[in-house]
Amino acid sequence: PYVIAADVYAEPKHKGQGGWTWYTGSAGWMYQFITGSLLGLELQGDKLIIKPCFPLEWPSVSILYKYGKSTYKIKVYQIADKVSHWKTSKAMGDGNVIQLVDTGTDTEIEVYCNV
């Protein structure tokens, strides 16, 4: 499902034209960039670390994350001058690390990351 034009020309005669459309290799790297750098998702064992770097003009980003038979519906906000924290309907805590547990249910979580 991920494709991207691999060659987009900057030479004035062909500026903006792309070649190698439907090049799937670069699409995979673009997906890695978006999840790892822009959204800041890093999986370490059964912990999901969130260090976002999306534009501050964006109010938030929503992430649907599957872990085993569980689904985490995560909404990430970037905040200034406050400590990173998270909350669900049943709990809250400090930091930007989500402990993943495969309960087979859906969990909605809001994460507020300090910038």
Side-chain angles (χ1 to χ4, degrees):
Y2 306 105
V3 295
I4 196 167
D7 300 323
V8 178
Y9 307 114
E11 206 279 333
K13 184 177 175 184
H14 302 289
K15 189 172 183 163
Q17 294 180 7
W20 291 75
T21 57
W22 288 86
Y23 182 65
T24 57
S26 62
W29 286 110
M30 181 63 75
Y31 178 81
Q32 289 293 324
F33 164 75
I34 291 170
T35 58
S37 296
L38 188 66
L39 299 178
L41 297 181
E42 180 184 344
L43 181 63
Q44 288 187 356
D46 60 353
K47 293 177 177 60
L48 186 62
I49 302 167
I50 302 177
K51 296 185 230 174
C53 189
F54 55 84
L56 292 175
E57 294 81 28
W58 296 5
S60 64
V61 295
S62 296
I63 302 163
L64 191 65
Y65 192 84
K66 301 277 188 170
Y67 182 74
K69 294 182 180 181
S70 299
T71 300
Y72 285 82
K73 298 175 181 178
I74 305 166
K75 193 151 193 178
V76 180
Y77 301 89
Q78 294 185 105
I79 56 173
D81 302 324
K82 294 183 181 177
V83 176
S84 296
H85 62 282
W86 56 268
K87 67 180 181 177
T88 67
S89 62
K90 298 179 182 179
M92 56 188 340
D94 290 334
N96 61 335
V97 179
I98 298 171
Q99 177 68 51
L100 301 171
V101 180
D102 189 7
T103 61
T105 61
D106 291 358
T107 300
E108 291 188 21
I109 188 164
E110 293 179 355
V111 181
Y112 298 85
C113 294
N114 180 283
V115 291

